[in-house]
Amino acid sequence: MDNGWQEYRRTLTKELGDELAQEFVGSLHTQSRGCVKTATQFFYDLGARWAPLIYAWSAWVEQNAHGTIAIILRDAKPLAALSSTKSWKQLHLNRLICGVADELSGDNRSKQHPLLKRYLSQCGCSGNFTFVDSGCYGTVVLELHKLGMAFQPLFFFSKNPFIRGFINECGVSMAEGEILNDSLECGFPHMCARPSELVEINGKVKAVLRLSDPLSIKFGKAAMRGVRNAQIVSALSTQEAAQKLLLLSQQARRGEFTGVHGHTS
């Protein structure tokens, strides 16, 4: 496995832990025979497979949102591939910026970033807004509530009984929802490392972004193109779209690389 693949594995280790990252990258490398072009095509095809569920998630958010809609990057980024969400805000919020230690990456933070409230305000998210993220417990939501902010969170998948989850309301079981939620991150590699800093430039507060490793960028872009270019013409219900992805999970449990977790984390 050459240096590019090793760097990709190190990136995933910070997201998934060493064991899962090694398993994921190793099986992808084996299935693609180490050919980056083949692996990139795989992520494009995977994005297209996710597209029906991503479109349905977007429609659910639109139907249930209040005020400004904000996609929380990085994990909710597949929604940004849709033309129907172009008016939605895109915010970089995470545990580190909100003062919560991140165990997998080893980053520690004991206080919310001093520019956090200004960042939210400048993004139109200081009053009535809808916080859209993948899920699942709502740690960042809790930290923002501590600031006295009142807003509506809508998750792709929720383990918090006080936060609505799209997949939960589609009748998917908790175990299956966890598989899909974990797989959302692997299937759409992050093109930027998780930001930990906010800076003020010319009176505007922005997140400090650092590009990820070359393979994460290549694979991540391909998956997003797969969603954008997918032809959503089938009459699949949301439940059927979810089950098609869960079938890939069953294949993964038999040792085949599918881009979908074969087990929960």
Side-chain angles (χ1 to χ4, degrees), residues 38-59:
T38 299
T40 302
Q41 181 63 45
F42 174 84
F43 277 100
Y44 177 88
D45 294 340
L46 185 61
R49 288 179 173 179
W50 269 98
L53 212 54
I54 300 301
Y55 276 88
W57 179 21
S58 170

Side-chain angles (χ1 to χ4, degrees), residues 30-193:
T30 298
Q31 187 152 322
S32 65
R33 297 182 179 179
C35 175
V36 172
K37 183 177 180 180
T38 299
T40 302
Q41 181 63 45
F42 174 84
F43 277 100
Y44 177 88
D45 294 340
L46 185 61
R49 288 179 173 179
W50 269 98
L53 212 54
I54 300 301
Y55 276 88
W57 179 21
S58 170
W60 178 80
V61 169
E62 190 76 57
Q63 182 179 6
N64 293 286
H66 300 151
T68 300
I69 303 175
I71 302 171
I72 308 304
L73 303 175
R74 301 174 297 159
D75 291 342
K77 67 181 178 296
L79 289 171
L82 309 182
S83 59
S84 59
T85 65
K86 293 304 180 187
S87 65
W88 297 6
K89 304 292 184 179
Q90 297 182 23
L91 275 66
H92 284 276
L93 288 180
N94 54 50
R95 290 168 176 257
L96 301 181
I97 290 173
C98 292
V100 180
D102 185 74
E103 183 179 344
L104 285 177
S105 67
D107 292 313
N108 294 310
R109 185 67 62 87
S110 58
K111 293 182 179 179
Q112 294 169 345
H113 197 285
L115 293 174
L116 175 58
K117 291 189 78 169
R118 279 188 57 196
Y119 177 59
L120 290 166
S121 178
Q122 289 182 4
C123 292
C125 297
S126 57
N128 182 29
F129 74 99
T130 297
F131 176 110
V132 183
D133 202 358
S134 59
C136 56
Y137 290 104
T139 304
V140 171
V141 170
L142 176 61
E143 292 304 312
L144 295 183
H145 280 160
K146 289 178 182 178
L147 291 174
M149 302 183 69
F151 58 91
Q152 175 187 218
L154 292 177
F155 283 176
F156 177 76
F157 168 66
S158 177
K159 279 191 170 181
N160 186 323
F162 300 103
I163 299 177
R164 295 176 65 184
F166 163 64
I167 284 294
N168 307 68
E169 295 186 7
C170 291
V172 171
S173 71
M174 292 297 283
E176 291 173 332
E178 189 171 359
I179 288 172
L180 290 173
N181 195 51
D182 288 346
S183 299
L184 194 64
E185 186 171 346
C186 292
F188 294 86
H190 298 308
M191 291 168 270
C192 289

